[in-house]
Amino acid sequence: MELTILQCFLIAVWYWFINMDLGNLGRALMNPCLNGVFFGFLFGDVVTGTIIGATINIMYISVAAVGANMPADDSLAAVVAIPVALTAGLDAQTAVLLATPFGILGTFMDNARRMVNGYWNRKAHRDAAKLNFRGISIDGFIGPWFTQFFIRVPIVFAIMLSVSKGTTAALDVMPEWILTGLSTVGGILPGFGLVLCATFIGKKYLLPFFALGFFIMKISGISTLVAAIFAFILAIVYVQLAYAKEEGESGFDMSIFKQKGGFDGKITKKDSHRTAWRVMLLHRFSNSLEAMYGTGVGYAMTPILRKLYAGKDEQLKEAIDRHMLPYITEMSLGNCIMGASLAMEEEIAAGSEEITGDDVVTLKSSLMGPFAGFGDSLVWSTYAPLVRTIFIPLAQGGSVIAGLLMEPFIRFTGCLASIWSFDLGYKTGKRSLIALLKGGMMKKIMVGAGVMGMFMLGAMGASYCNLNLALEVYSETLGGAISIQEKIDGILPGLLPFLMMMGVYGYFEKGGKYLKLIIIVLVLSLVAAFFGIV
């Protein structure tokens, strides 16, 4: 069964729609698990679709647009591979292999739209100078969204037409050893995603917890939920032992979370939360290479700035313009910077002589880097992969509910954190934000999350990274053929995939390229399959 021309076009449009970049909420739609459920429902096999989506998701378990740069496009990988796999009858491992090159291709399309979006940023500055609010809406939202249509849809439509027709025909004439080699690669690739996530956590001294999780799962066969509970307890014990409070040592000052703050000026609590939602949802829409999130942030801040600077057109122009300057940070915890910026704008609008527009720019530029590192490390390199390690095994077991809920749960909690952090920034200001970054409690949370994350990544590696040898040695004294794989498993179960993942970890640590590694593994797997090694 091949996809029709209409189906190929609608899939391309779906890809454009889910890449609208609507902050945390919109990015939930890009997830392979969710797309597995979606395409499974459309093609009449929702369980198989969920399993394929979950298997692809392992490879992209830690994908996050760190620094606004997308390291791999898991949405294109899923949108191409899942419909083709469902219609061509491919298994999950073959679908993973099919998804891989398109995950890389998607990054080029994303950079193309970011390059074009530079036009909208330049136009936004001109519209701000004229207080053309309709123009600002086009620059920050409508224009970039429809620009994406003409970049993404034609390319993906052509891909779907060619891949759908070519996959079935290729499989019919492909030798058995090639299929074996491709299947081997499909079993290995999920381990790459897990190891890449471990390198993102960035704490080599926690690597033994990866090994511990791997071998406990491989030998005991406990469930993922039990592994998660064990990892949580282990993280608490480790943090308590590693950071034992010395006599006379003062802990982190929790009072910054309890400050009441005031809404006694023009800004109400409703205004603050509405602005927080706008910034969180709209900042990525017009993401560009030259201004990053600047255009979207300026567009999102425009309504509240219009209220603050009502009747002060020149000040309003300057305020909108300075929020369109280049800006980038992690927006779940880093949205507190925008909350503090809003408090400063309120002071300026009220006639304060102590705070200037330059102070707002300085605040944003000085704190966006530290909060980007803090938020990306804690939220997207630790928390999100950790949640996925719990949900993905359930989805791979055919749980449609797990496939549906995983990414929306992660993104919704990210939204709540974003609104909370904006409120915190508005109430407490710059000094408390710096205290938050330097607080000892934050370090303990980061380390504890790292311990739990490493353990769970190892546990998933034991379950979903496979490498088996087909070699046999004939011995008359031992009664015939002896399986090399059985002997290795007798020494230590899972030894080969573990050693492979540790080798990949070392490769990534030395700056190795993901695409180069995939090509090397593909070639080696095909050669090994040809000679009957795997």
Side-chain angles (χ1 to χ4, degrees):
M1 176 182 174
E2 293 180 358
L3 294 167
T4 67
I5 294 176
L6 178 60
Q7 286 173 327
C8 290
F9 177 74
L10 292 178
I11 288 171
V13 172
W14 171 251
Y15 173 70
W16 163 69
F17 177 75
I18 64 177
N19 276 275
M20 69 174 72
D21 241 356
L22 188 62
N24 275 331
L25 290 181
R27 294 186 72 78
L29 296 176
M30 300 168 68
N31 177 257
C33 256
L34 198 62
N35 276 279
V37 175
F38 174 74
F39 285 115
F41 176 78
L42 288 182
F43 290 101
D45 192 348
V46 68
V47 172
T48 300
T50 302
I51 293 170
I52 293 172
T55 305
I56 292 173
N57 210 148
I58 296 175
M59 192 165 55
Y60 302 102
I61 194 168
S62 63
V63 165
V66 178
N69 295 298
M70 182 184 292
D73 187 354
D74 54 338
S75 63
L76 183 59
V79 162
V80 174
I82 297 172
V84 172
L86 287 170
T87 54
L90 306 181
D91 61 25
Q93 290 187 341
T94 306
V96 167
L97 184 64
L98 178 64
T100 303
F102 299 107
I104 297 167
L105 174 64
T107 63
F108 293 100
M109 277 195 284
D110 191 64
N111 282 326
R113 66 103 182 185
R114 292 177 65 209
M115 182 174 64
V116 174
N117 281 348
Y119 163 79
W120 297 111
N121 178 258
R122 294 188 291 273
K123 182 175 179 296
H125 283 287
R126 295 194 296 269
D127 286 331
K130 295 181 288 188
L131 293 184
N132 178 3
F133 301 118
R134 183 179 179 184
I136 291 173
S137 296
I138 293 174
D139 305 331
F141 182 80
I142 300 171
W145 194 30
F146 281 98
T147 295
Q148 288 199 66
F149 183 93
F150 298 104
I151 293 175
R152 298 187 189 275
V153 171
I155 295 174
V156 178
F157 177 52
I159 288 172
M160 295 308 304
L161 282 176
S162 58
V163 173
S164 173
K165 293 182 181 300
T167 301
T168 304
L171 289 174
D172 289 339
V173 298
M174 199 172 288
E176 183 66 28
W177 65 268
I178 293 183
L179 294 176
T180 300
L182 295 179
S183 178
T184 300
V185 176
I188 291 174
L189 286 181
F192 289 7
L194 298 170
V195 172
L196 189 60
C197 183
T199 61
F200 285 162
I201 290 176
K203 298 179 177 67
K204 281 186 179 180
Y205 66 92
L206 297 181
L207 204 56
F209 292 103
F210 184 97
L212 185 64
F214 181 93
F215 288 112
I216 285 180
M217 178 64 79
K218 179 63 73 173
I219 295 170
S220 69
I222 58 176
S223 69
T224 307
L225 181 59
V226 173
I229 294 171
F230 182 82
F232 180 71
I233 297 171
L234 186 64
I236 293 175
V237 172
Y238 179 83
V239 169
Q240 287 179 338
L241 293 175
Y243 298 96
K245 190 172 180 180
E246 297 180 3
E247 187 176 352
E249 178 187 354
S250 59
F252 178 70
D253 183 8
M254 296 291 291
S255 64
I256 69 167
F257 297 109
K258 301 175 183 177
Q259 294 186 36
K260 297 297 182 182
F263 294 98
D264 51 0
K266 285 190 175 182
I267 296 176
T268 65
K269 189 171 184 178
K270 184 177 180 180
D271 290 330
S272 175
H273 286 180
R274 183 185 292 121
T275 304
W277 276 103
R278 280 181 61 88
V279 171
M280 187 269 295
L281 292 177
L282 302 176
H283 70 280
R284 294 187 60 95
F285 246 97
S286 49
N287 180 11
S288 67
L289 292 175
E290 59 189 61
M292 281 77 81
Y293 302 153
T295 316
V297 168
Y299 165 60
M301 291 287 286
T302 295
I304 193 65
L305 294 176
R306 290 180 67 181
K307 180 176 180 177
L308 285 176
Y309 292 100
K312 304 174 183 178
D313 286 357
E314 291 305 314
Q315 285 184 286
L316 176 58
K317 292 177 185 178
E318 293 175 1
I320 296 174
D321 189 73
R322 63 175 161 260
H323 284 290
M324 288 180 176
L325 294 174
Y327 179 74
I328 182 169
T329 196
E330 192 281 319
M331 280 295 199
S332 291
L333 300 179
N335 211 9
C336 55
I337 301 173
M338 294 309 303
S341 298
L342 178 59
M344 295 174 73
E345 294 287 2
E346 187 177 25
E347 292 291 326
I348 297 171
S352 172
E353 297 181 357
E354 297 181 358
I355 301 175
T356 67
D358 289 339
D359 294 327
V360 177
V361 175
T362 300
L363 169 79
K364 292 172 65 178
S365 61
S366 62
L367 289 182
M368 66 182 186
F371 270 95
F374 175 53
D376 284 332
S377 297
L378 182 59
V379 180
W380 303 116
S381 292
T382 304
Y383 166 72
L386 184 58
V387 174
R388 290 172 188 143
T389 60
I390 298 172
F391 278 85
I392 287 177
L394 299 175
Q396 278 203 303
S399 172
V400 176
I401 299 299
L404 272 176
L405 295 183
M406 179 184 73
E407 203 65 20
F409 174 80
I410 293 170
R411 299 293 173 173
F412 182 69
T413 53
C415 289
L416 295 181
S418 185
I419 305 307
W420 169 81
S421 68
F422 186 96
D423 204 23
L424 175 70
Y426 178 80
K427 292 177 180 180
T428 64
K430 178 180 178 180
R431 290 184 180 179
S432 292
L433 296 184
I434 294 174
L436 176 64
L437 280 173
K438 294 183 177 180
M441 187 187 75
M442 290 298 107
K443 184 176 182 179
K444 293 179 182 180
I445 291 174
M446 295 274 292
V447 171
V451 170
M452 189 173 178
M454 281 289 199
F455 185 95
M456 291 304 298
L457 290 171
M460 285 197 69
S463 300
Y464 302 114
C465 182
N466 301 302
L467 178 60
N468 295 305
L469 300 180
L471 286 175
E472 292 183 341
V473 176
Y474 185 81
S475 171
E476 291 185 3
T477 56
L478 295 178
I482 301 171
S483 169
I484 299 296
Q485 184 63 53
E486 289 181 3
K487 290 296 181 182
I488 293 174
D489 288 341
I491 297 171
L492 187 61
L495 181 60
L496 285 181
F498 177 77
L499 291 177
M500 183 207 66
M501 286 192 288
M502 289 300 96
V504 171
Y505 182 88
Y507 174 80
F508 284 141
E509 280 289 302
K510 292 181 179 179
K513 302 299 181 183
Y514 190 74
L515 177 58
K516 183 179 178 181
L517 180 62
I518 290 174
I519 294 173
I520 292 172
V521 170
L522 175 60
V523 172
L524 290 177
S525 296
L526 290 174
V527 171
F530 180 79
F531 288 103
I533 299 173
V534 295

